[in-house]
């Protein structure tokens, strides 16, 4: 019936695993088996779509300013802020969505990986909400949630695909064979890519957070000015390593600029040495080269037609640009979320929870937070 | 008035349901992180056992600290969301008050009760109470202090010390057990250490005290309920953590 509103699921998502207190409302009509429409029977749920998936609201109370002076996230400060912001974030998400608590049919929250004290705030909030409203609760893996950010804006997207999840805490290459069915193909052996961005930004005097700062500084810079090392590791490896690159940049800066005096930047430029923009662009190029190369190889190796990006670093303009070029050259379709859905947010948590709930999954109210949770 | 009392602020934790003066259900256990995470499950079980549903509640009582930072946050967050979702008033209870309230009418002849909650290293969260009636009357500020200094401050020679002829002090709380040796070393005859069954806050006591707060019109809302960390501010905490390398260490468990 036209105009009739079906609210099979209206999920409140909550995310507090690091330094963003976030709440979101996502609704949809449940899952549909797309096999009929495709004209082929399917034994798996890979043809499944979520019709009518609508993001009604997404509120992110960022703590970036709070942590900036420390050059990184301080766990106790983050946890305290989450307690202050959790009710305002939930309340704003409901208002923005123009729904009342009575409309919420389920609650989803991040249970890991992340900072355990921070996760526990959102997880406790979600459990209390489920208890009070007597609705189902589902715990969600944060990395899975990043991947699922792609389903919010790409209704046609369906597994299998390969996804690069790249942020301040993660650098994971994941093969999503089917909904809820993952193969961890590779991960960083040391620093996450976003962590390398933060540390190099600090060395370059660009401030925190480093990702957007380097992205901006690199504009107009020559990405080939300095050939920084790329760690591809052994043949066929999908793992990453960024600590060598980070050290190379820091050493270069010390040598070229003398100690860490960034005020010599102008002089460095004048004497023909790499400018700040060149350095930022060269570093960024080295990171992006490795990410793009391995992601493309992984997609080709798994014979998938689609690659996805996710996580805060997926908002990086150079990564998007280079990945788009390589994907096109390799005959792959590329998807990535809007920048606001790349960084930590509860919409992606609600989305990952939505798919699990629609498959009939529920979590018990004693579900623990797991700081180093693997994809399962 | 039907009140749910929640405590996860120290090494014991639990939930109680009270209806007026009657304790309908109470659950308490020595806490590990994993069972403070299962608090919502306990709430669910107690409600079901009592034949109540969450919307039947008229108020929430919760210990707001001082104690384990993470524990306090779990309890306070649960209370905030229950208060928000069920539109209920919240009665905040200081953990030290709840422990002192385990010992009503214990101050017959000028006796004092001094709960000690273990903090970091040799520090304890503490306050001093006169409990001559049913409810504790606090006679000092809440403080985080070195346990040795706390015990010494009661010596009769000290300024503000006890009157040897008519006063005694009873130390309770997990800090009294952890620092028993120091207390016995520093104490004189006027000091006693409470038995283990009165060392932690009882959820039913928390519910009762929270109910008094609500009935006196001083309830908090989901928006203004705050943890009572007592001690280092988050900025000091951050500087401390930044010095020690920052990173992703778990702070404050």
């Amino acid at each position: 019936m036209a105009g009739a509103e079906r609210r099979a699921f209206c999920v409140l998502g909550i995310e507090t695993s690091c330094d963003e207190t976030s709440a979101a409302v996502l609704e949809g009509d449940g899952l549909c088996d797309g096999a009929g429409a495709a004209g082929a029977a399917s034994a798996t749920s890979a043809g499944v779509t979520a019709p009518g998936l609508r993001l009604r609201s997404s509120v992110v109370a960022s703590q970036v300013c709070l942590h900036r002076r420390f050059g990184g996230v301080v766990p106790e400060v983050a946890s305290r802020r989450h307690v202050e912001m959790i009710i305002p974030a939930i309340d704003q998400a409901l208002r923005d969505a123009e729904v009342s608590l009575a409309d919420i049919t389920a609650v989803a929250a991040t249970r890991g990986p992340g900072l355990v004290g921070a996760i526990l705030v959102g997880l406790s909030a979600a459990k209390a909400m489920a208890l009070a409203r007597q609705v189902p609760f589902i715990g969600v893996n944060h990395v899975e949630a990043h991947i699922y950010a792609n389903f919010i804006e790409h209704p046609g997207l369906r597994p299998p695909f390969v996804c690069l999840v790249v942020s301040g805490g993660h650098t994971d290459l994941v093969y999503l064979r089917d909904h809820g069915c993952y193969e961890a193909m590779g991960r960083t052996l040391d620093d996450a890519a976003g962590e390398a961005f933060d540390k190099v930004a600090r060395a370059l005097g660009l401030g925190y957070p480093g990702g957007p700062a380097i992205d901006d500084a690199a504009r107009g810079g020559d990405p080939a000015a300095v050939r920084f090392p790329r760690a591809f590791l052994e043949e066929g490896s999908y793992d990453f390593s960024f600590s060598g690159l980070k050290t190379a940049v820091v050493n270069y800066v010390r040598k070229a600029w003398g100690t860490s005096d960034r005020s010599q930047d102008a002089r460095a430029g004048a004497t023909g040495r790499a400018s700040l923009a060149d350095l930022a662009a060269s570093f960024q190029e080295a990171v992006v080269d490795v990410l793009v190369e391995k992601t493309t190889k992984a997609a080709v190796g798994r014979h998938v037609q689609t690659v996805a990006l996710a996580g805060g670093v997926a908002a990086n303009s150079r990564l998007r640009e280079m990945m788009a070029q390589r994907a096109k050259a390799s005959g792959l379709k590329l998807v990535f979320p809007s920048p606001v859905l790349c960084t930590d947010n509860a919409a992606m948590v609600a989305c990952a929870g939505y798919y699990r709930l629609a498959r009939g999954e529920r979590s018990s109210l004693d579900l623990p937070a797991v700081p180093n949770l693997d994809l399962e | 008035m039907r009140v749910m009392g929640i405590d996860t602020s120290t090494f014991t934790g639990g939930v109680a349901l009270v209806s007026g003066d009657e304790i309908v259900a109470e659950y308490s256990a020595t806490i590990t992180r994993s069972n403070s995470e299962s608090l919502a499950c306990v709430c669910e079980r107690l409600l079901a056992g009592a034949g109540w549903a969450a919307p039947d509640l008229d108020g929430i009582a919760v210990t707001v600290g001082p104690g384990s930072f993470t524990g306090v946050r779990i309890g306070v967050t649960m209370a905030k969301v229950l208060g928000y979702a069920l539109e209920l008033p919240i009665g905040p209870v200081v953990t030290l008050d709840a422990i002192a309230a385990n010992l009503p009418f214990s101050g017959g002849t000028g006796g004092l009760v001094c709960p000690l909650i273990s903090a970091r290293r040799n520090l304890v969260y503490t306050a001093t109470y006169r409990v001559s009636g049913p409810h504790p009357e606090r006679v000092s500020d809440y403080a985080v202090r070195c346990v040795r200094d706390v015990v010494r401050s009661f010596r009769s020679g000290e300024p503000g010390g006890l009157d040897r002829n008519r006063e005694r002090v009873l130390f309770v709380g997990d800090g009294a057990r952890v620092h028993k040796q120091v207390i016995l070393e520093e104490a004189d005859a006027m000091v006693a250490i409470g038995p283990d069954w009165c060392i932690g806050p009882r959820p039913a006591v928390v519910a009762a005290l929270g109910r008094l707060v609500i009935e006196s019109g001083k309830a908090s809302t989901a928006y203004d309920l705050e943890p009572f960390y007592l001690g280092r501010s988050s900025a000091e905490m951050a500087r401390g953590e930044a010095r020690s390398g920052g990173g992703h260490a778990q702070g404050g468990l």
Side-chain angles (χ1 to χ4, degrees), chain B residues 161-199:
Chain B
L162 301 184
D163 178 341
R164 182 176 281 278
N165 296 320
R166 55 179 201 88
E167 290 181 310
R168 291 173 61 84
V169 60
L170 176 65
F171 288 104
V172 290
D174 69 310
R177 185 171 59 187
V178 172
H179 301 292
K180 189 171 185 174
Q181 214 44 50
V182 175
I183 295 171
L184 294 176
E185 274 167 40
E186 296 293 336
D188 52 26
M190 300 174 304
V191 165
I193 295 178
D196 274 6
W197 63 78
C198 60
I199 61 176

Side-chain angles (χ1 to χ4, degrees), chain A residues 258-274:
Chain A
T259 62
S260 58
D261 184 0
R262 291 120 196 171
S263 65
Q264 295 181 23
D265 178 30
R267 190 145 50 94
T271 55
R273 278 182 282 180

